[in-house]
């Protein structure tokens, strides 16, 4: 049988209270950093998707590239309302992303994860 006094297992389970607190804090900090970083990345992905949706609103004949849409078939009111809804979502997500980025910077003092859009 091996000498248990030198085993990594024994060393791990016999850590002092100070070492245990530090190890637990590190686990919490890593998990929090990862979650907040991913949240910011998700906000950036949503913003990119919404901006594509806004561009797609201008694709006035998405079903057929060989015909030209009749101006009477285009409803400016519907376009304006749809664009406004997307703009409001972009604004909301931008605010939430920026707040999350501020919190990330305060907690982890790393480079900004926000891509300026």
């Amino acid at each position: 049988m091996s000498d248990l006094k030198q085993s990594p297992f024994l060393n791990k389970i016999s850590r002092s209270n100070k070492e245990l607190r530090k190890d637990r804090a590190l686990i919490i900090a890593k998990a929090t950093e990862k979650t907040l970083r991913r949240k910011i990345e998700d906000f950036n992905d949503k913003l990119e998707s919404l901006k594509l949706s806004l561009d797609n609103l201008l694709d006035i004949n998405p079903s057929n590239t060989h015909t030209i849409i009749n101006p009477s078939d285009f409803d400016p009111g519907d376009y304006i309302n749809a664009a406004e809804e997307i703009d409001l979502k972009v604004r909301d997500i931008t605010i939430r992303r920026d707040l999350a980025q501020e919190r990330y910077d305060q907690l982890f003092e790393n480079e900004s994860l926000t891509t300026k859009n």
Side-chain angles (χ1 to χ4, degrees), residues 2-12 14:
S2 65
D3 185 14
L4 287 179
K5 291 180 184 176
Q6 301 299 324
S7 77
F9 179 73
L10 180 64
N11 291 336
K12 194 76 165 164
S14 63

Side-chain angles (χ1 to χ4, degrees), residues 81-112:
N81 289 336
E84 183 180 85
E85 287 300 315
I86 293 172
D87 287 340
L88 289 172
K89 288 178 185 177
V90 166
R91 185 186 70 172
D92 178 56
I93 292 171
T94 300
I95 291 168
R96 294 176 66 196
R97 188 240 359 235
D98 291 348
L99 291 171
Q101 182 65 58
E102 286 177 29
R103 168 127 334 135
Y104 185 92
D105 292 342
Q106 290 169 356
L107 294 175
F108 301 105
E109 299 179 11
N110 287 339
E111 284 190 36
S112 176

Side-chain angles (χ1 to χ4, degrees), residues 39-101:
K39 186 173 193 79
I40 293 166
E41 291 168 354
D42 288 345
F43 284 141
N44 286 329
D45 289 344
K46 287 178 186 176
L47 285 170
E48 187 176 322
S49 177
L50 285 170
K51 288 179 181 182
L52 286 174
S53 295
L54 197 55
D55 288 343
N56 286 339
L57 287 178
L58 295 175
D59 187 1
I60 56 176
N61 204 5
S63 61
N64 186 345
T65 59
H66 300 292
T67 61
I68 298 174
I69 191 167
N70 188 338
S72 65
D73 293 338
F74 182 77
D75 187 339
D78 286 347
Y79 168 76
I80 297 298
N81 289 336
E84 183 180 85
E85 287 300 315
I86 293 172
D87 287 340
L88 289 172
K89 288 178 185 177
V90 166
R91 185 186 70 172
D92 178 56
I93 292 171
T94 300
I95 291 168
R96 294 176 66 196
R97 188 240 359 235
D98 291 348
L99 291 171
Q101 182 65 58

